[in-house]
């Protein structure tokens, strides 16, 4: 979290500038699968290096740094997982948070290009989508969205008025996190995830793992160019609008309006930022994330998004803050 101006000292400045170091250590450990390799028991640096197919010198220094961070323990020459790392950082665990951490590591590379992006107006370079690096980055991103949304999805869906909802469309639904929350809240409803073909493939795997093929389906496509369909009682657009320009978002919201049944509702979830663009700090920092990672995206305030919905045809738009740092806009289509 960014510090307010009056809190800055020479010491806090340098502490902040060194803040990348622990993140880089954890990112490297996840990339190398250090925690996964230690899941079956403690190992020395030499044994871990063999498991990683890496150099002993670098492996030992990385293991020592992870121990200093409290993510490993060291007794003699043996390194072992802590209860936290075993639960949250081993891929074998159902509580694995490594997707989000690895996505953050990818973002660090992009953030190194802020100055260049400000000068040129172009986002940071990234590997081609069809390359192995691009595919890995994409899966890390999609599953990171699951990590980020898992806790709040049930709470946000539970706070919505779901009376009479039998059909739900999750636009840009990613790995299916919100779809699963809707399935829990609406046992007789059908939920459709609309996303790109590679993302729908990931969502389909998750749906199959949960045995929900009869209640959740995927619709591969490009929601910026393709039609969204019709006959939906509720449409969710979570963390979508910040990727695109106001003009692109207005077109997408009009598509959402057309896809709804009369009386249906469209729900927009976005990172909270006020009209100044500078508060809260998380919203201002997220705008930088969109600067370096998208062509035209940004953080948008509720007052900025609300007219887009009324221009699309919605008559009533209610704004709320269902959880810290998130703003929700619920727009109703006339009956």
């Amino acid at each position: 979290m960014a510090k307010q101006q009056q809190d800055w000292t020479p010491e806090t400045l340098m502490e902040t500038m060194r803040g990348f170091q622990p993140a880089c250590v954890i990112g490297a450990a996840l990339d190398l699968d250090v925690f996964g390799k230690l899941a079956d028991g403690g190992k020395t640096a030499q044994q871990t290096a063999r498991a990683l197919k890496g150099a002993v010198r670098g492996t030992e220094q990385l293991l020592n740094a992870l121990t200093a961070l409290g993510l490993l323990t060291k007794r003699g020459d043996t390194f072992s997982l802590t209860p936290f790392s075993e639960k949250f950082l081993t891929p074998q665990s159902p509580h694995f948070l490594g997707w989000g951490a690895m996505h953050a590591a990818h973002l660090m590379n992009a953030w190194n290009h802020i100055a260049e992006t400000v000068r040129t107006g172009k986002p940071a370079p990234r590997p081609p989508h069809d390359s192995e690096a691009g595919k890995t980055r994409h899966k890390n991103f999609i599953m990171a969205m699951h990590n980020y949304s898992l806790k709040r999805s049930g709470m946000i869906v539970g706070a919505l008025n779901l009376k009479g909802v039998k059909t739900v469309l999750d636009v840009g639904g990613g790995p299916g996190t919100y779809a699963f929350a809707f399935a829990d809240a609406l046992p007789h409803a059908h939920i459709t995830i609309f996303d790109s073909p590679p993302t729908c493939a990931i969502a389909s795997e998750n749906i199959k793992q949960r045995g929900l093929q009869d209640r959740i389906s995927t619709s591969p496509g490009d929601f910026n160019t393709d039609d969204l369909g019709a006959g939906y009682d509720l449409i969710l657009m979570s963390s979508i609008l910040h990727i695109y320009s106001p003009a692109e978002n207005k077109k997408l919201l009009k598509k959402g309006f057309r896809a709804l049944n009369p009386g249906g509702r469209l729900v927009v979830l976005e990172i909270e930022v006020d009209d100044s663009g500078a508060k809260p700090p998380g919203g201002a920092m997220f705008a930088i994330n969109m600067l370096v990672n998208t062509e035209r995206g940004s953080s948008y305030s509720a007052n900025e998004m609300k007219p887009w919905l009324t221009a699309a045809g919605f008559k009533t738009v209610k704004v709320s803050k269902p959880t810290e740092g998130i703003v929700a806009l619920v727009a109703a289509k006339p009956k």
Side-chain angles (χ1 to χ4, degrees), residues 160-162 165 167-170 182 232-236 260 264-267:
L160 296 173
N161 176 9
L162 300 178
V165 174
T167 52
V168 177
L169 177 66
D170 189 354
F182 278 115
Y232 296 102
D233 298 318
L234 188 144
I235 294 176
L236 175 68
L260 281 170
R265 296 180 294 282
L266 189 150
V267 180

Side-chain angles (χ1 to χ4, degrees), residues 10-295:
E11 290 75 22
T12 57
L13 173 63
M14 297 313 300
E15 180 183 353
T16 300
M17 296 306 294
R18 291 189 293 267
F20 69 92
Q21 295 174 350
C24 287
V25 166
I26 297 169
L30 287 165
D31 188 35
L32 294 166
D33 192 28
V34 169
F35 303 106
K37 293 297 189 293
L38 294 175
D40 58 355
K43 291 180 175 64
T44 65
Q46 289 81 1
Q47 291 169 332
T48 307
R50 283 197 297 271
L52 300 177
K53 297 181 174 59
V56 175
R57 172 173 171 263
T59 300
E60 184 170 20
Q61 291 174 344
L62 181 59
L63 295 175
N64 280 332
L66 291 166
T67 301
L69 291 174
L71 294 174
L72 296 180
T73 61
K74 184 179 184 181
R75 290 191 177 183
D77 294 329
T78 301
F79 296 89
S80 302
L81 298 174
T82 65
F84 177 90
S85 59
E86 183 175 12
K87 182 175 181 179
F88 295 111
L89 296 176
T90 58
Q92 302 92 324
S93 170
H95 305 285
F96 183 57
L97 294 179
W99 303 113
M102 285 188 283
H103 174 57
H106 291 312
L107 292 182
M108 282 192 293
N109 293 330
W111 278 58
N112 279 327
H113 292 266
I114 292 174
E116 180 183 350
T117 299
V118 170
R119 291 190 189 103
T120 66
K122 297 179 180 180
R126 62 175 62 189
H129 292 298
D130 57 353
S131 68
E132 286 305 312
K135 292 175 182 177
T136 298
R137 180 188 177 103
H138 176 73
K139 183 168 185 178
N140 286 344
F141 165 70
I142 294 301
M143 292 307 296
M145 298 306 100
H146 177 68
N147 283 166
Y148 296 159
S149 302
L150 183 59
K151 186 175 181 180
R152 70 185 182 213
S153 59
M155 178 175 59
I156 290 175
V157 168
L160 296 173
N161 176 9
L162 300 178
K163 184 178 180 180
V165 174
K166 296 180 180 179
T167 52
V168 177
L169 177 66
D170 189 354
V171 178
T177 313
Y178 276 95
F180 301 139
F182 278 115
D184 289 339
L186 297 166
H188 302 294
H190 186 86
I191 302 99
T192 302
I193 298 171
F194 192 113
D195 216 316
S196 68
T199 301
C200 281
I202 296 172
S204 294
E205 291 179 9
N206 294 337
I207 293 167
K208 186 176 181 180
Q209 287 177 2
R210 289 164 175 78
L212 293 172
Q213 300 95 314
D214 60 333
R215 301 187 51 214
I216 304 176
S217 60
T218 62
S219 180
D222 182 341
F223 50 72
N224 282 315
T225 58
D226 298 334
D227 189 76
L228 298 181
Y232 296 102
D233 298 318
L234 188 144
I235 294 176
L236 175 68
M237 296 184 183
S238 174
S239 300
I240 296 298
L241 301 191
H242 61 241
I243 303 173
Y244 304 105
S245 68
E248 290 169 311
N249 288 330
K250 290 175 185 178
K251 291 180 181 179
L252 180 58
L253 293 171
K254 287 180 181 178
K255 287 185 180 183
F257 181 86
R258 293 194 296 268
L260 281 170
N261 290 325
R265 296 180 294 282
L266 189 150
V267 180
V268 171
L269 299 177
E270 279 297 336
I271 301 294
E272 180 188 4
V273 68
D274 70 3
D275 294 336
S276 75
K279 296 179 181 178
M285 292 297 108
F286 193 76
I288 295 293
N289 194 47
M290 292 299 98
L291 175 70
V292 296
N293 284 294
T294 69
E295 293 284 348

